[in-house]
Amino acid sequence: MLQERATRVGLMEIDAHDNDSRPSTGHPVGALGDIGRLAQRVVAYFLAAVAPRPGGAAQCEITAIRESLRLAVGADGGDGTAQLELAAGVWARGGIPLETVLRAVHEAFRAGMDMVAGRSRLPGAHDPTAQDYADLRRKTAAVVDLLGVITSTISRGYVRELRATAPQHQTTTRTFAEALRAGRATAAAARQCGVELAEEYWIFAVGIPPCEESRLGLDHRVAARRRLYRIETEFAERSEGAALSILSVHGGTVMLPTSFSDDRLDSLFDDVLNAAGTPITAVVVRSPASDIPARAEDAHNLLDMAQRLGVSGALHRFPDLALEYQLTRPGPGREFLAALLDPLDEHPELLATLYCYVAHSLDRRRTARALHVHPNTVDLRLKRTAQLTGLDAAPANGMWHLRSALIARSYRADGRPGT
């Protein structure tokens, strides 16, 4: 089928004019002059125009170009689709991104069409006739048809291979991640799972809010699993497969080698946040591999505190929350601070406004939007809070005491609700 379509496109009619006076043989290989020479043209394009990426992606593109050209024109004398589908499976197992393969195929077609068009520019070529234009339209339509067949064939083989291998890979990777989280990971276990054991890791404690009703009418459990898949996929793709995730629909832990630089963490989380489509919250800490159990526990304690304070949709580091963390430690100081807000127990709207005001960085307009009230209402509630507690939110020292009281209240020991 591929060979028939290639004939319709006109690839089998191309003469070899690149310093080669050999006549066309009518066979796809002879007609193209040499699949290798056409591949070299496309390879030269990639080396000149596409910067090589880590992991030998440029060589992967070269391989894809050569294989697709050979099979697309039926250089083996057969259909080619079965071989191309097998080749796509090999690329999938090798970790070559599907977008890389398809881009290489499209560049190969571009080069082939340039060769077809080049015939009209040869010395002695006649001016185009109506028949030539009709042939051009026919061959252009056939190019789109052939490209569609090759693209779908590659995609089918690639996805089929991923479906066959992904569950096993995910299981082994998660097993290793759980061992690392528990402090039981070894170099031997890493080799068995196909994972490299790093000396240091970034530990993300991730909190995912409950899934609201889907706008598509999906069951909330289905929507939550899809959201989880998007989060895990974004972590994996942005870290080039280095992220080790232990996540559920409610959150969990993600570990990433510190070879992923600190200055990229915020953009990584922004991409995960966009993929999630919901204000997830995360805390990241740095830890040697041997200290991961304890440091992960610290990260989740910080995450719990951030969630209690309503600071969602952001990536936090320990320095950002060090003061708040210290205020949550048990002792008489914490109980005294928590008691400062007891007069608000009978005024839940005031307490809710105070929490929201702190969570929105003391911005009265953002607080008003979140509460669906007028900004003046926020001001009135804060003034009423000052009258009841003696703590005015306007001066810096008053706001510091109010914020400290909110933090302590969320961890109070007498069982009263924190929010």
Side-chain angles (χ1 to χ4, degrees), residues 236-249:
E237 290 184 352
R238 290 284 281 106
S239 67
E240 299 177 354
L244 299 171
S245 300
I246 312 173
L247 294 173
S248 72
V249 294

Side-chain angles (χ1 to χ4, degrees), residues 371-391:
L371 295 174
H372 306 290
V373 298
H374 193 277
N376 289 345
T377 303
V378 174
D379 292 337
L380 291 174
R381 290 180 180 179
L382 291 176
K383 289 179 181 179
R384 180 60 176 157
T385 297
Q387 294 172 355
L388 293 173
T389 64
L391 299 173

Side-chain angles (χ1 to χ4, degrees), residues 107-181:
E107 288 304 326
F109 266 78
R110 185 197 301 262
M113 288 301 296
D114 285 344
M115 293 182 69
V116 172
R119 297 179 60 205
S120 63
R121 297 190 296 269
L122 294 175
H126 61 77
D127 292 334
T129 65
Q131 183 60 43
D132 290 330
Y133 285 117
D135 289 343
L136 178 60
R137 287 194 297 270
R138 175 178 57 82
K139 291 177 180 179
T140 300
V143 165
V144 176
D145 191 18
L146 175 58
L147 183 58
V149 171
I150 292 179
T151 299
S152 61
T153 300
I154 290 176
S155 300
R156 183 170 59 251
Y158 198 99
V159 172
R160 180 176 298 172
E161 182 63 29
L162 286 184
R163 286 177 175 172
T165 59
Q168 179 181 1
H169 175 72
Q170 290 173 354
T171 299
T172 56
T173 301
R174 187 178 179 100
T175 298
F176 177 77
E178 290 172 346
L180 184 63
R181 172 68 173 82

Side-chain angles (χ1 to χ4, degrees), residues 4-241:
E4 176 184 352
R5 294 172 187 265
T7 303
R8 290 169 53 201
V9 173
L11 290 177
M12 297 182 66
E13 303 170 7
I14 300 175
D15 294 323
H17 293 282
D18 297 325
N19 299 321
D20 190 344
S21 59
R22 292 175 297 175
S24 171
T25 64
H27 186 276
V29 176
L32 284 172
D34 182 5
I35 289 295
R37 285 192 292 111
L38 179 55
Q40 288 172 5
R41 283 187 172 189
V42 185
V43 168
Y45 163 82
F46 274 104
L47 295 179
V50 181
R53 294 183 296 279
Q59 184 58 44
C60 296
E61 289 165 340
I62 292 170
T63 303
I65 293 166
R66 289 174 175 162
E67 189 70 10
S68 297
L69 281 172
R70 184 179 68 82
L71 296 175
V73 300
D76 56 358
D79 184 343
T81 53
Q83 296 94 323
L84 185 57
E85 191 168 333
L86 290 174
V90 173
W91 296 329
R93 289 195 300 273
I96 306 172
L98 180 58
E99 61 183 291
T100 296
V101 177
L102 296 181
R103 184 171 63 250
V105 170
H106 281 72
E107 288 304 326
F109 266 78
R110 185 197 301 262
M113 288 301 296
D114 285 344
M115 293 182 69
V116 172
R119 297 179 60 205
S120 63
R121 297 190 296 269
L122 294 175
H126 61 77
D127 292 334
T129 65
Q131 183 60 43
D132 290 330
Y133 285 117
D135 289 343
L136 178 60
R137 287 194 297 270
R138 175 178 57 82
K139 291 177 180 179
T140 300
V143 165
V144 176
D145 191 18
L146 175 58
L147 183 58
V149 171
I150 292 179
T151 299
S152 61
T153 300
I154 290 176
S155 300
R156 183 170 59 251
Y158 198 99
V159 172
R160 180 176 298 172
E161 182 63 29
L162 286 184
R163 286 177 175 172
T165 59
Q168 179 181 1
H169 175 72
Q170 290 173 354
T171 299
T172 56
T173 301
R174 187 178 179 100
T175 298
F176 177 77
E178 290 172 346
L180 184 63
R181 172 68 173 82
R184 295 183 280 101
T186 63
R191 284 192 294 271
Q192 290 176 354
C193 296
V195 178
E196 182 178 352
L197 179 61
E199 294 183 0
E200 278 192 320
Y201 286 87
W202 298 113
I203 304 174
F204 291 82
V206 181
I208 304 175
C211 192
E212 300 177 357
E213 292 299 323
S214 171
R215 287 175 294 180
L216 299 177
L218 296 174
D219 181 87
H220 69 92
R221 290 169 295 184
V222 175
R225 287 195 296 270
R226 290 188 177 183
R227 182 178 62 181
L228 173 62
Y229 173 78
R230 294 196 303 271
I231 293 172
E232 290 178 326
T233 300
E234 196 66 27
F235 265 116
E237 290 184 352
R238 290 284 281 106
S239 67
E240 299 177 354

